[in-house]
Amino acid sequence: MEAPNLPSENLAGAIFHGTASDGSPVEVAVCDAEPSPQDPSMHWYRIEIWDKQKESWENPCIATQRAPNPKAVAVQGLWNEQGSRHEEPGKFTFACENGAIAKCIHWGYKPWATKDGQPLTEVHQACTRMARADYCGDGRSHTRKDNVIDMYDTLGIQARTTQTSASWAPEKASFEAAWTPEGASCLARTRDGQEAQTILKECPKRFEAGAKDLGEGDRCSVRLKGTRAEKTLLRNHAYGQTPRGTITVNMKHGQ
């Protein structure tokens, strides 16, 4: 959800008139706020929206076992239904903690921060594509509930996990894809168990069949067409096919 006037501190008690991701108008009430335990400068907000049909206020964030009372974080920038981000002066997004935008912040890719002088805005955007397995960069997800992934980057924020633990077994995983803010730059397979070549049919203008060796054992079978140069910011490994009949969500190992 979006509303004007990006907050810099506690907004408890405020009511905003904004726009939902589908373009419909929405009224958002900030009921409570608390600083993040990991980053006291960042606040988590308990928000509610007015449901005209039910004539009641309701939390728009979907509850999960890990977050039974989910909160939201205020992030500068707007995201459309295709998952693309753009800036609009005076506006921001309330991102639910169990969604891709907030998860990528939790994983260390804060879009307002820098790492060794490099802004993390594009890295965060690439992470949102990866979290949803949005290969084509059009908002279509190819992940399911409890699909565990291992991500890594060249900035030293997340490193590839090589040791077996209760939450991750690297010997059971394989390279999935490399990521840019616009979607995957190449992939070896899909997270939901489809062949990588199925993505060629979904976005034929973006990808073509063809091997690409990224080094460190990461090798793609589908890549960007022609000589298009899009900087790869993230890569990930994932387990094999998961049972069908589950819903779309994604988690980093250990989270």
Side-chain angles (χ1 to χ4, degrees):
M1 288 176 229
E2 307 101 41
N5 303 320
L6 181 65
S8 57
E9 56 186 21
N10 196 322
L11 284 179
I15 296 180
F16 294 96
H17 294 276
T19 307
S21 58
D22 62 2
S24 61
V26 64
E27 194 172 14
V28 185
V30 182
C31 305
D32 193 13
E34 61 183 41
S36 167
Q38 293 78 24
D39 184 357
S41 67
M42 185 178 78
H43 282 79
W44 287 100
Y45 300 97
R46 183 170 65 83
I47 61 173
E48 293 184 352
I49 62 171
W50 178 251
D51 188 313
K52 293 182 179 180
Q53 293 183 336
K54 297 181 180 179
E55 294 188 342
S56 63
W57 292 93
E58 295 188 349
N59 188 341
C61 300
I62 299 174
T64 66
Q65 185 176 2
R66 290 177 176 80
N69 298 296
K71 298 179 175 63
V73 62
V75 188
Q76 187 171 347
L78 306 180
W79 280 261
N80 61 24
E81 290 185 294
Q82 288 73 45
S84 298
R85 179 187 182 278
H86 69 277
E87 293 279 356
E88 191 168 333
K91 293 192 176 183
F92 69 96
T93 294
F94 275 125
C96 295
E97 66 177 292
N98 44 23
I101 295 171
K103 282 186 176 183
C104 288
I105 292 173
H106 178 68
W107 294 337
Y109 304 115
K110 298 175 180 177
W112 58 82
T114 61
K115 174 69 173 179
D116 298 330
Q118 178 177 332
L120 298 182
T121 306
E122 290 195 344
V123 186
H124 175 268
Q125 177 61 13
C127 177
T128 65
R129 299 293 189 187
M130 177 186 62
R132 295 190 296 261
D134 181 4
Y135 306 114
C136 297
D138 58 6
R140 283 180 289 185
S141 175
H142 297 80
T143 188
R144 300 195 183 106
K145 183 180 180 180
D146 294 335
N147 274 168
V148 185
I149 63 173
D150 184 58
M151 70 193 74
Y152 42 100
D153 56 67
T154 59
L155 298 174
I157 297 174
Q158 292 284 354
R160 183 184 298 188
T161 303
T162 58
Q163 298 296 319
T164 301
S165 67
S167 59
W168 183 251
E171 69 276 6
K172 295 181 181 179
S174 62
F175 174 67
E176 178 187 335
W179 300 92
T180 76
E182 289 74 32
S185 58
C186 73
L187 63 151
R189 63 176 178 82
T190 65
R191 198 174 306 167
D192 58 7
Q194 300 180 74
E195 294 293 331
Q197 282 69 23
T198 61
I199 304 302
L200 296 175
K201 297 179 181 178
E202 290 190 15
C203 43
K205 294 182 179 180
R206 180 175 177 84
F207 293 116
E208 63 183 357
K212 183 176 182 180
D213 191 345
L214 301 179
E216 301 181 87
D218 294 349
R219 186 175 178 83
C220 302
S221 60
V222 170
R223 62 186 182 183
L224 286 173
K225 277 190 173 182
T227 59
R228 294 175 62 183
E230 294 194 38
K231 184 178 180 181
T232 294
L233 300 174
L234 298 170
R235 301 188 211 173
N236 80 284
H237 279 213
Y239 290 151
Q241 184 176 0
T242 56
R244 295 192 176 276
T246 52
I247 56 177
T248 299
V249 165
N250 175 68
M251 294 183 295
K252 167 75 172 174
H253 62 85
Q255 302 297 335

